Amino acid sequence: MTQKPNPLSSIKVNGPIPAHLARSVIEETLRAAILDGRIPCGAALRQQDLADLFGVSRMPVREALRQLEAQALLSVTAHKGAVVAPLVQGDAVETYALRILLESEALRLSIPLLEDADIEQANRYIDELEREQDYTEIGRLNRLFHMSLYSKAPNRRLLKLVEDGLIEEERFLRFNLEAMGLGKLSQEDHRALLRAAEERDVEKSVTLLEHHLNRAVEVITRYLASPEAERIKTSK
Ligand code: NI
């Protein structure tokens, strides 16, 4: 029997990690490695291996794994432990239906409280998206653009759920954006959304956001039904 390659071998840890930063360093490091595919779907992550690798106790490891589970990057079961989740979890239509509810509520709460600096920041993300060619970076900028418009929503738990959803989508886009051809299409939506936000027009902004996300559902659903997508559906 051949030894499976260790999924953690790609991870470099630079020196000792201060205890108060341990959870966030582990979380960020693992998230980056999952998003760029260095740790593949189905890989099992053992708490003790991670504690040894990062030179910490198992407690911050457990907390980091819990965060990644909330972002649907890991699925945790009693007997198998933490396993890197498949790219598409469950039903894309249902997932998006929930995201539309959460994101339109976050936008509704945030728009009246947005400052000019938030609008300028959102505009810079659109400009960066225009120039960016790298799909990992495009996924990240899309998340940052959306979050900049939602950021003033006072409900922090809502914002956390919204961000988890965007992180899940970022991973999916990373692998499929090119095949789906969603990139340039989204930019027109982004600009229209930004203009409505600039006018502090809540209803118009929410309508445009729903349109933007519904369009993504259509493209993703069509893509998932295509033969090319069959090979990435590792489970479910
Ligand atoms: Ni978008």
Side-chain angles (χ1 to χ4, degrees):
M1 210 177 126
T2 50
Q3 192 77 31
K4 272 198 186 171
N6 179 359
L8 299 181
S9 60
S10 68
I11 292 178
K12 300 280 167 280
V13 179
N14 304 319
I17 303 168
H20 68 288
L21 294 177
R23 184 201 47 81
S24 60
V25 169
I26 297 166
E27 183 188 336
E28 290 301 324
T29 306
L30 292 179
R31 177 163 48 234
I34 293 170
L35 286 175
D36 68 18
R38 275 177 291 147
I39 306 182
C41 299
L45 299 179
R46 292 185 55 241
Q47 287 184 18
Q48 192 56 55
D49 292 347
L50 292 167
D52 294 344
L53 175 68
F54 288 96
V56 297
S57 74
R58 284 167 67 152
M59 198 165 73
V61 169
R62 242 189 328 264
E63 290 169 3
L65 294 180
R66 208 172 290 140
Q67 292 298 318
L68 296 167
E69 186 188 12
Q71 293 155 16
L73 294 176
L74 293 178
S75 49
V76 179
T77 59
H79 49 285
K80 285 185 81 179
V83 173
V84 177
L87 271 181
V88 182
Q89 297 234 65
D91 187 323
V93 176
E94 287 178 2
T95 303
Y96 264 84
L98 278 178
R99 281 192 47 204
I100 292 170
L101 283 179
L102 296 172
E103 291 192 30
S104 51
E105 181 63 7
L107 187 64
R108 192 182 293 283
L109 296 170
S110 178
I111 290 241
L113 302 171
L114 283 177
E115 290 162 21
D116 291 345
D118 300 315
I119 302 285
E120 283 157 23
Q121 181 61 66
N123 198 23
R124 278 195 291 275
Y125 289 134
I126 291 184
D127 288 344
E128 284 180 55
L129 274 165
E130 201 65 59
R131 287 190 298 270
E132 190 57 60
Q133 302 292 331
D134 178 81
Y135 289 109
T136 308
E137 218 18 47
I138 289 173
R140 190 182 72 90
L141 289 168
N142 178 66
R143 167 169 58 87
L144 293 175
F145 165 75
H146 281 265
M147 285 309 291
S148 64
L149 294 184
Y150 311 148
S151 62
K152 288 293 190 288
N155 185 334
R156 309 317 292 180
R157 291 195 65 188
L158 172 65
L159 276 185
K160 175 78 170 59
L161 285 175
V162 163
E163 186 161 37
D164 287 347
L166 280 162
I167 288 171
E168 188 183 356
E169 179 186 51
E170 184 179 334
R171 177 170 180 240
F172 179 76
L173 292 182
R174 156 84 180 84
F175 289 94
N176 303 294
L177 199 57
E178 185 170 24
M180 294 191 301
L182 201 56
K184 291 293 162 195
L185 198 76
S186 303
Q187 278 289 75
E188 291 161 29
D189 291 356
H190 287 164
R191 288 192 192 285
L193 184 54
L194 184 68
R195 274 195 301 275
E198 206 169 358
E199 295 159 8
R200 309 297 194 274
D201 188 332
V202 174
E203 291 315 315
K204 192 171 164 192
S205 305
V206 168
T207 304
L208 286 166
L209 177 65
E210 286 172 352
H211 176 78
H212 176 55
L213 294 176
N214 274 319
R215 188 130 75 154
V217 188
E218 273 171 41
V219 177
I220 289 171
T221 313
R222 212 178 312 132
Y223 172 72
L224 288 176
S226 70
E228 205 213 318
E230 282 304 319
R231 59 185 177 80
I232 63 160
K233 290 184 206 164
T234 51
S235 70
K236 281 209 174 171

